[in-house]
Amino acid sequence: MNVTDTALRSTGAARTPSPSPAPAPAPTPAVRQADGMAVASFVFGLIGLLAMNLLLGPASIVLAALALHRGTSRPGRARLGLALGIADLAVLAWLVSADQTWSWSIG
């Protein structure tokens, strides 16, 4: 028996169990939507490096900015989507300056 138990018994106070930690709250629909935007931004940016960078680059940038603004729980993925969207536009600018076309040309 330790000192605390002895003190509680002598005073007649009941020992209350320590409260268990509360479970983490479920993400709200707005956060879940922002997480989806972050993932979509990453995927669009990644695909945009290979094809349709004129459309997917700006879409990736807009989705990443919205996800960061709405407080996504995946800010790293949103920032990566933002960087990939900017890279898409840089690849597009390089392609336009290299061969004066708006699309990939293989061969």
Side-chain angles (χ1 to χ4, degrees):
M1 199 178 286
N2 62 24
V3 177
T4 306
D5 289 338
T6 306
L8 287 175
R9 284 186 182 199
S10 66
T11 60
R15 186 172 185 186
T16 58
S18 61
S20 61
T28 62
V31 172
R32 289 183 64 195
Q33 187 179 21
D35 290 348
M37 286 182 189
V39 172
S41 170
F42 171 72
V43 171
F44 283 179
L46 199 59
I47 294 172
L49 286 174
L50 302 174
M52 297 189 299
N53 45 4
L54 180 63
L55 298 174
L56 295 179
S60 177
I61 292 170
V62 169
L63 285 173
L66 283 173
L68 289 171
H69 180 71
R70 292 183 181 183
T72 181
S73 63
R74 301 178 182 201
R77 191 156 299 165
R79 287 185 191 110
L80 187 57
L82 182 66
L84 286 170
I86 292 169
D88 290 348
L89 295 179
V91 166
L92 178 65
W94 178 75
L95 284 173
V96 169
S97 67
D99 54 355
Q100 282 69 36
T101 184
W102 288 90
S103 63
W104 288 89
S105 59
I106 299 174

